[in-house]
Amino acid sequence: MIAPELVRSAQAGDRDALITLLREIESHVYRTAFYILNNEQDALDASQEALLRIYTKINSYEEKALFKTWVQRIVTNICIDKFRRAKPTVSMDEHEMTFTADNDVEQEILTGYLAQDIREAIEKLPEHHRTVVVLRYLQDFSYHEIAESLNLPLNTVKSYLFRARHTLQSLLQDYQKGGVRG
């Protein structure tokens, strides 16, 4: 949780406070961008753009909403813009696997496939469903925070999540029926 005093200090022109604030939110910003865009380079670009926008617009933040909600709205809007303009790309990093000596290699492979199946299923969701899934389940936002971040009615957020969960369940059952990959 970001300390309100840190935000106020950053808004008052304390450069060190602003840098500290940006460092505290950096990983959350990247994680959101990555799960929405599903591409490391695009996520890095979107994160950098979001942090720059936060840096330049910190004075426009009003304490009507939580700071994390304000930040999330910025990141999400940037990602949606990028998503609409983007051409599909493939990250080579997604195809690398790291094995640790402590884990069973077979279990490591199956876990990697499950994570890949989930990512692929989330990627197949419509943009608005994907965004609410990322905010709810990967960023742990409440329904109210999602509604505020995306400027949507609360019931719309609930509806999107319901439909997204239903779609994900169907997609993941399809993957399961396909059996273990070879």
Side-chain angles (χ1 to χ4, degrees):
M1 175 125 207
I2 303 295
E5 304 80 37
L6 184 61
V7 175
R8 284 189 212 105
S9 294
Q11 286 181 304
D14 181 341
R15 190 170 187 272
D16 291 335
L18 182 56
I19 290 169
T20 300
L21 181 66
L22 292 173
R23 283 193 178 131
E24 283 190 25
I25 64 172
E26 182 177 28
S27 64
H28 297 291
V29 168
Y30 172 78
R31 191 171 32 241
T32 299
F34 181 78
Y35 282 111
I36 292 174
L37 299 170
N38 198 33
N39 176 286
E40 184 178 355
Q41 192 58 51
D42 289 344
L44 287 168
D45 292 346
S47 299
Q48 188 172 26
E49 188 176 335
L51 291 169
L52 183 60
R53 191 166 300 166
I54 292 163
Y55 178 85
T56 59
K57 303 284 186 184
I58 189 74
N59 289 327
S60 69
Y61 167 69
E62 298 174 3
E63 291 188 32
K64 294 177 192 171
L66 290 174
F67 182 72
K68 78 173 190 173
T69 305
W70 181 76
V71 167
Q72 200 63 53
R73 181 176 286 178
I74 290 171
V75 175
T76 303
N77 287 340
I78 288 170
C79 288
I80 288 170
D81 289 346
K82 277 192 159 305
F83 183 75
R84 287 180 180 151
R85 303 182 287 227
K87 296 177 182 166
T89 59
V90 175
S91 170
M92 293 306 291
D93 295 334
E94 292 174 14
H95 301 287
E96 293 179 13
M97 265 193 171
T98 306
F99 298 104
T100 59
D102 297 340
N103 292 336
D104 179 18
V105 172
E106 185 178 345
Q107 185 60 42
E108 188 78 25
I109 291 170
L110 292 175
T111 301
Y113 282 140
L114 177 61
Q116 182 179 346
D117 289 348
I118 292 169
R119 272 196 309 273
E120 288 174 4
I122 290 172
E123 188 177 327
K124 289 180 180 179
L125 292 173
E127 176 187 320
H128 53 285
H129 289 176
R130 181 183 326 153
T131 302
V132 295
V133 165
V134 167
L135 294 178
R136 178 71 183 125
Y137 297 108
L138 302 174
Q139 295 295 350
D140 203 30
F141 271 47
S142 70
Y143 292 138
H144 292 284
E145 290 169 334
I146 296 168
E148 198 170 312
S149 290
L150 301 177
N151 200 24
L152 293 171
L154 182 60
N155 285 336
T156 301
V157 169
K158 290 178 181 179
S159 173
Y160 285 176
L161 279 169
F162 176 81
R163 290 182 185 137
R165 281 192 301 264
H166 181 72
T167 303
L168 284 172
Q169 187 176 24
S170 295
L171 289 169
L172 291 172
Q173 284 175 349
D174 290 346
Y175 283 120
Q176 207 171 32
K177 287 178 188 170
V180 177
R181 299 165 187 234

